Amino acid sequence: MEPSAAARVQPSPRETLDSVIIRFAGDSGDGMQLTGSQFTTATADAGNDLSTFPDFPAEIRAPAGTTYGVSGYQIHFASHDVQTPGDAPDVLVAMNPAALKVNSEVLKTGGLLVVNSGAFTANNLKKAGYEVNPLEDGSLDRFRVLALDVTKMTLDAVKEVGLGSKDANRCKNMWTLGLMYWLFGRERDQTVGWLKNKFAKRPKLAEANIAALNAGHIYGENAELPHGINAYQVPSANLAPGEYRNISGNEATAWGLVTGARLAGLEVMYGSYPITPASSLLHNLARLKHFGVTTFQAEDEIAAVAAAVGASFGGSIGVTGTSGPGVALKSEAIGVAMMAELPLVIVNVQRGGPSTGLPTKTEQSDLFQAVWGRNGDAPLVVLAAATPGDCYYMAIEAIRVATTYMTPVILLTDGYLANSAEPWLLPDVDALKPFPVAFHQEPEGFHPFSRDEETLARVWPVPGTPGLEHRIGGLEKDRSTGHISYDPHNHHLMTSVRHDKIAGIARDVAPAKVDQGDNHGDLLVVGWGSTYGSIRQAVSVLREKGHQVSHLHLRNIWPLPEGLGNLLDSFHTVLVPELNNGQLVKLLRAEYPVDAVSLPRVTGLPFRIGGLIQAMEERLQGSAI
Amino acid sequence: MSPNSPKKEYTRKDFASDQEVRWCPGCGDYAILAAVQRTLPSLGSTPENTVFISGIGCSSRFPYYMNTYGFHTIHGRAPAIATGLKLANPKLDVWVITGDGDGLSIGGNHLLHVLRRNIDLQIMLFNNQIYGLTKGQYSPTSQVGKVTPSSPLGSIDQPVVPTRFALGARATFVARAFDTSKKLPEALSAAREHKGASFIEILQNCPVFNDGVFELITDRKTGPAYQLWLEHGQPMKFGANGEKGLRLKPETLSLEVVTIGEDGVSEQDIVVHDETNASLAWMLTDLPEVVALGVLYRQPGPVYNESVATQRDLAEDRFGEPDLHALLRQGHTWTVS
């Protein structure tokens, strides 16, 4: 976003921008997540495409004013297709010195900096580590600075409501939101309604927050803004027609699980132990009991998956959700579900690892754990969602594959998908294809490991069915009777059949296909999971420059889809960017004769488009023929 | 069996699977298996609605020998797997088979929580005070000083008292019996009748690695002097002729063994068993000179799986028919034309 000469004329017409990235930053207690999500809703209403990224600290309430207590919310909106929350913000809203300190490095030169000068007290400056007030020492000269005493103006605006100073002070975020609404031409109605609803039982708080919101807006309307700062408009994007909502990955996963279970004709038993960033799956599902969902907050990660395994034995679809450390604890129970050939869905909302790692940051470093992380030869299915909305469809697919093939399925999402929001074109749920489960009923010739010839899935007989009493477990079973067997030849055959069953699923999913570009060329960028948007955007930039670059995004991590080997073979160079130290790249190199190149990044943050473009250009130069 | 066929009368044989039983000769598990197979028909159980869930260890082979549904799971986790099963289908009669290692060592956490939640199932903990399947290491119930391959100078671990653990977890039904006892079926029946999590410790002899550890208690000759069979509302007497009993020592709030007719002790001095009294049950878990058997404690409480069903009904009343279309549209939506 660049200022224009037209900005000097007052009252100015709104300057038209194609795309804007705003970052709201403040103390954990400043309500930045609420501010950001309200701005997001108003922006969606304005018809822009958008993508958001909340970035909050691990501490629930870090000491006020400190840099490690800064909470951020970034939104990227545009009149065109938006794939990511963007790299460097055009606009930074800093509610205190710490928020400025943490974020001023990333703000673009020439970017708009809105600061609450009222919070730049000696004490706050010291806590943020500033020896001199940056508003006064010229260090912010490369930005367009709008320094306003938001604290004072908020207190003035809400004075008449008669709140205590603490509650009055907390309306600052709404004052700021009101100003931002004016700057970017957003409507206030939706937020007014939301505040009335949120504070229905405390009408004074609703009144004060609305007063602050309006005051911020009125300030924008009337004040003579400094040179170079203008009001803007971002025309609506050309989105596919239909009904939309904003959706985060964890909401989408929860709703996809409910949808998938209904398509299968099963109830859901969701066992979970709270863990960042997966807990909101449990919260979302706990509200959906009337959809045939039972949620069980277990004593630990192991009990959570064990209860899900027990429920699947009983004829529900057992589901457990967690993050990497939780999967580590669940490994043995996932193994027994694999061995007993019971359906089970494990959602791993990945976070920065290893060990406790970076709990609130995003990473894709559990791919090896998902594909290989069990004792013995223990193949199962691994899926990965690419966008927040894709979590819905992948959760449905996880239940379809688990119940069709009697196997555990690990669905990989991550902290970024879990918490980011994007506009989502609502699906027609009536058009989704059901995959009803038929429990085995026939006692004649029954044994628990008799299989479907095509899928190799074993039968699913549930307790309570007369004549099908049987025992399963973690011990090896005879392939033709289902009884315990220590026969060496039988073990070899059973190991093979378990392998073949999972490998065969590749025939039942879409073959490998490039998402963007041709089926051959100089460079194929292979991604998986939440890097979809960044890679897509970077590849389209290079394609516009005329490069022979294609993007292929894997949703089926194991088994890998058919036709992948041929595609990998059709490019001069294969580049694999991932938010880990190089995991998918090793899987590809193990499975195909491909000299794929790794582009690892483990900073706890998504890829920057600029960085991806640079890396791709380097590979293109290297591969120039 | 079609739904219209007359109700079948089941016998012990209907509950025995065709699998060869492979416990060591003389193992106490044989007697327990026989008691269960004998008891279930008398309780009106059916093979199709009965499920045995076990963990890992000698005792956990139990499900293979029952002609019911069964799941031989992983070490220590049977209570959690059984919880999920019961939540998925509350109509099933679920039994958890575990041992002192499986239930109190690796699976102690799950035992604690299944008991405090009070899920409607039966937990049979076979206590032989030793690790059998791994060839004889001391277990969490082994006595201090027990010499085993992993404790050549004697175990220095303080043992856990299983029934005391159960009471500490606020179990609503706590009983104790031993493998060869004729009264084991009675304890099993009481456990099955109880709504909620029923915990039964079964003292079980391991003839290979811990032979005779309960011999004084279980032997026909010496047993009567050590077995105190509890009956609700009856004075707690034992001995070959019922000459001994438990008297309350108010000054130390403990129970002592006394002989009726000696030192001025009369029948009236003997404490009457009240199975709803948790304090009394606590004292009965670990008595000097004698072992309390039968139902130590029984006090019904809210049953977890019933509360789950109640909340499900509540949600259905409040939110009505599930509607995916409406679910996806809750909150704010907008239309692009």
Side-chain angles (χ1 to χ4, degrees):
Chain A
M1 190 182 80
E2 299 297 332
S4 76
R8 288 172 216 166
V9 187
Q10 291 286 345
S12 66
R14 287 182 175 270
E15 184 185 345
T16 299
L17 299 172
D18 179 43
S19 150
V20 180
I21 301 165
I22 302 178
R23 174 173 284 214
F24 296 91
D27 226 32
S28 311
D30 278 341
M32 288 299 97
Q33 302 303 323
L34 287 178
T35 309
S37 59
Q38 282 302 306
F39 192 90
T40 300
T41 304
T43 298
D45 278 343
N48 295 129
D49 196 10
L50 64 90
S51 175
T52 72
F53 182 54
D55 182 18
F56 41 81
E59 292 77 13
I60 300 298
R61 287 280 183 273
T66 58
T67 51
Y68 50 91
V70 172
S71 173
Y73 187 104
Q74 185 158 316
I75 174 170
H76 178 193
F77 56 102
S79 59
H80 55 69
D81 190 25
V82 171
Q83 295 293 340
T84 74
D87 292 352
D90 304 301
V91 183
L92 172 65
V93 177
M95 297 302 284
N96 68 1
L100 177 64
K101 180 100 178 177
V102 171
N103 291 292
S104 61
E105 288 298 310
V106 294
L107 180 61
K108 277 181 191 158
T109 298
L112 174 59
L113 172 63
V114 180
V115 287
N116 173 17
S117 58
F120 280 59
T121 60
N123 192 24
N124 278 347
L125 288 164
K126 193 179 159 201
K127 276 196 248 179
Y130 281 117
E131 284 174 15
V132 184
N133 187 343
L135 298 178
E136 293 163 4
D137 68 356
S139 61
L140 304 173
D141 285 353
R142 64 193 179 96
F143 308 124
R144 292 172 293 138
V145 181
L146 186 56
L148 305 167
D149 191 343
V150 176
T151 308
K152 179 175 182 299
M153 287 191 276
T154 302
L155 293 177
D156 288 347
V158 307
K159 197 189 298 174
E160 283 187 10
V161 184
L163 292 179
S165 66
K166 192 180 166 195
D167 281 337
N169 202 32
R170 293 184 72 173
C171 297
K172 292 195 300 283
N173 61 335
M174 287 299 124
W175 194 98
T176 312
L177 182 63
L179 175 66
M180 298 304 284
Y181 277 177
W182 181 79
L183 277 175
F184 292 94
R186 316 269 90 136
E187 297 296 332
R188 280 166 286 170
D189 317 6
Q190 195 281 136
T191 297
V192 169
W194 176 79
L195 285 167
K196 282 181 179 164
N197 189 34
K198 181 177 169 67
F199 295 117
K201 288 180 184 156
R202 301 181 69 188
K204 273 191 161 188
L205 285 186
E207 195 189 330
N209 276 288
I210 292 166
L213 180 77
N214 289 334
H217 198 271
I218 291 164
Y219 179 89
E221 291 169 31
N222 296 325
E224 194 166 319
L225 295 175
H227 169 73
I229 298 175
N230 199 3
Y232 306 96
Q233 62 177 345
V234 178
S236 57
N238 189 18
L239 293 167
E243 199 175 0
Y244 283 79
R245 65 167 302 124
N246 280 321
I247 196 160
S248 70
N250 276 2
E251 275 175 319
T253 303
W255 295 348
L257 290 170
V258 170
T259 305
R262 292 182 78 77
L263 294 171
L266 298 175
E267 298 219 326
V268 177
M269 215 303 292
Y270 183 77
S272 190
Y273 184 77
I275 183 169
T276 302
S279 302
S280 62
L281 283 175
L282 175 59
H283 307 166
N284 277 307
L285 288 164
R287 290 195 291 261
L288 301 178
K289 294 181 170 62
H290 56 303
F291 280 87
V293 176
T294 300
T295 51
F296 173 60
Q297 183 176 310
E299 57 269 28
D300 60 23
E301 294 282 0
I302 301 172
V305 63
V309 171
S312 287
F313 179 52
S316 289
I317 177 66
V319 183
T320 188
T322 186
S323 192
V327 175
L329 285 163
K330 293 177 196 291
S331 302
E332 191 190 13
I334 296 170
V336 80
M338 188 246 30
M339 190 64 161
E341 300 189 47
L342 285 170
L344 175 71
V345 173
I346 304 104
V347 182
N348 178 356
V349 187
Q350 297 166 98
R351 66 189 212 186
S355 186
T356 310
L358 293 79
T360 61
K361 305 297 177 189
T362 199
E363 209 164 280
Q364 303 181 298
S365 48
D366 297 342
L367 184 143
F368 284 167
Q369 182 192 44
V371 177
W372 288 312
R374 286 158 300 284
N375 61 306
D377 288 303
L380 46 65
V381 179
V382 182
L383 305 174
T387 65
D390 191 39
C391 291
Y392 179 78
Y393 297 102
M394 294 315 282
I396 294 173
E397 175 69 356
I399 293 184
R400 184 189 75 85
V401 173
T403 54
T404 307
Y405 293 89
M406 297 294 282
T407 177
V409 175
I410 294 181
L411 171 57
L412 296 173
T413 71
D414 61 35
Y416 169 62
L417 291 178
N419 294 319
S420 302
E422 65 169 14
W424 185 50
L425 177 61
L426 290 168
D428 176 5
V429 288
D430 297 328
L432 297 170
K433 195 178 165 204
F435 41 88
V437 164
F439 295 127
H440 190 78
Q441 300 287 346
E442 179 52 56
E444 187 66 33
F446 165 76
H447 79 81
F449 285 82
S450 51
R451 297 177 187 279
D452 181 282
E453 281 179 21
E454 195 180 325
T455 63
L456 298 179
R458 80 166 179 99
V459 289
W460 191 1
V462 297
T465 315
L468 301 185
E469 295 82 4
H470 67 277
R471 277 66 56 192
I472 57 172
L475 290 172
E476 184 62 284
K477 300 295 189 293
D478 185 273
R479 70 188 192 283
S480 50
T481 64
H483 293 311
I484 300 173
S485 167
Y486 295 107
D487 178 66
H489 182 58
N490 177 72
H491 180 52
H492 192 95
L493 287 172
M494 285 294 273
T495 300
S496 300
V497 82
R498 287 188 288 264
H499 169 271
D500 293 348
K501 178 175 84 167
I502 300 303
I505 294 171
R507 295 192 297 270
D508 187 25
V509 300
K513 167 174 157 296
V514 294
D515 287 82
Q516 195 184 180
D518 304 321
N519 286 336
H520 53 85
D522 293 331
L523 178 65
L524 177 66
V525 185
V526 182
W528 67 283
S530 69
T531 54
Y532 178 80
S534 329
I535 297 174
R536 182 176 172 80
Q537 203 161 337
V539 167
S540 51
V541 168
L542 287 178
R543 288 187 61 77
E544 274 168 28
K545 289 184 181 176
H547 292 294
Q548 296 290 306
V549 185
S550 298
H551 173 202
L552 186 154
H553 214 73
L554 288 170
R555 286 173 173 79
N556 295 88
I557 305 297
W558 198 264
L560 289 160
E562 290 193 326
L564 180 59
N566 282 342
L567 277 172
L568 295 174
D569 220 19
S570 308
F571 288 83
H572 190 270
T573 305
V574 173
L575 181 68
V576 186
E578 18 179 8
L579 300 175
N580 58 45
N581 208 21
Q583 298 195 8
L584 177 65
V585 71
K586 292 194 186 71
L587 189 74
L588 295 178
R589 291 174 70 113
E591 293 296 309
Y592 304 101
V594 60
D595 188 20
V597 179
S598 180
L599 179 58
R601 176 179 158 101
V602 269
T603 60
L605 295 166
F607 274 110
R608 295 192 177 281
I609 316 285
L612 278 177
I613 291 172
Q614 194 188 343
M616 291 177 197
E617 280 176 335
E618 280 166 16
R619 297 319 304 181
L620 282 165
Q621 280 159 14
S623 70
I625 303 161
Chain B
M1 194 171 71
S2 84
N4 298 326
S5 58
K7 198 176 170 189
K8 187 179 167 184
E9 287 293 324
Y10 289 102
T11 67
R12 175 185 173 169
K13 280 186 178 171
D14 294 309
F15 284 90
S17 79
D18 58 357
Q19 294 297 290
E20 187 189 345
V21 184
R22 292 194 188 175
W23 287 309
C24 306
C27 177
D29 291 357
Y30 283 94
I32 303 171
L33 176 65
V36 171
Q37 288 172 342
R38 223 172 25 242
T39 307
L40 287 182
S42 71
L43 298 173
S45 299
T46 62
E48 71 263 24
N49 280 322
T50 306
V51 189
F52 282 85
I53 308 284
S54 64
I56 294 293
C58 294
S59 59
S60 289
R61 296 299 181 97
F62 195 96
Y64 291 117
Y65 310 131
M66 295 295 299
N67 185 36
T68 62
Y69 283 89
F71 195 171
H72 178 209
T73 70
I74 47 176
H75 210 1
R77 320 302 171 198
I81 288 178
T83 295
L85 175 64
K86 188 72 183 178
L87 293 179
N89 186 354
K91 288 182 197 145
L92 298 172
D93 183 22
V94 179
W95 298 71
V96 171
I97 305 292
T98 185
D100 40 318
D102 189 62
L104 290 165
S105 202
I106 194 167
N109 193 30
H110 308 304
L111 188 57
L112 161 68
H113 293 281
V114 76
L115 290 172
R116 74 160 172 96
R117 287 192 187 104
N118 201 30
I119 290 158
D120 189 18
L121 40 73
Q122 295 77 241
I123 302 153
M124 295 168 62
L125 185 142
F126 299 9
N127 181 9
N128 57 13
Q129 297 190 356
I130 203 77
Y131 284 163
L133 204 59
T134 51
K135 300 199 189 330
Q137 301 83 358
Y138 61 95
S139 91
T141 57
S142 294
Q143 297 306 306
V144 172
K146 179 79 189 166
V147 173
T148 76
S150 59
S151 55
L153 298 179
S155 164
I156 54 173
D157 275 30
Q158 294 298 321
V160 63
V161 178
T163 49
R164 186 163 279 197
F165 175 91
L167 284 173
R170 301 184 68 192
T172 58
F173 179 100
V174 178
R176 182 157 52 201
F178 61 89
D179 46 14
T180 52
S181 168
K182 288 199 174 119
K183 291 190 177 177
L184 176 56
E186 216 174 285
L188 296 174
S189 303
R192 163 71 198 281
E193 279 162 22
H194 178 74
K195 266 192 144 189
S198 309
F199 178 80
I200 324 157
E201 178 196 11
I202 302 171
L203 309 179
Q204 174 244 323
N205 190 44
C206 172
V208 176
F209 296 109
N210 211 8
D211 194 26
V213 72
F214 302 117
E215 197 168 4
L216 279 178
I217 303 160
T218 59
D219 185 78
R220 254 173 229 208
K221 282 182 191 157
T222 58
Y226 294 95
Q227 297 173 19
L228 166 61
W229 285 95
L230 302 166
E231 271 188 70
H232 182 61
Q234 296 298 318
M236 296 190 283
K237 294 197 293 182
F238 63 102
N241 304 306
E243 72 284 5
K244 291 191 169 186
L246 296 180
R247 182 171 72 174
L248 185 69
K249 278 171 76 178
E251 62 274 20
T252 57
L253 208 62
S254 59
L255 295 170
E256 62 179 341
V257 173
V258 290
T259 306
I260 299 163
E262 281 182 14
D263 303 325
V265 174
S266 75
E267 186 94 27
Q268 278 69 42
D269 293 322
I270 307 302
V271 182
V272 171
H273 183 44
D274 174 5
E275 61 187 23
T276 67
N277 183 335
S279 304
L280 180 63
W282 182 264
M283 288 192 269
L284 291 172
T285 57
D286 201 11
L287 292 168
E289 303 172 49
V290 63
V291 176
L293 298 160
V295 179
L296 279 66
Y297 183 67
R298 170 162 41 191
Q299 179 65 280
V303 175
Y304 184 90
N305 44 287
E306 290 181 355
S307 303
V308 167
T310 304
Q311 288 202 337
R312 168 78 67 91
D313 293 345
L314 193 72
E316 283 170 1
D317 286 348
R318 192 176 295 173
F319 304 116
E321 283 292 303
D323 181 349
L324 280 177
H325 187 84
L327 173 67
L328 300 187
R329 282 159 183 80
Q330 70 178 34
H332 187 70
T333 66
W334 69 94
T335 301
V336 172
S337 47

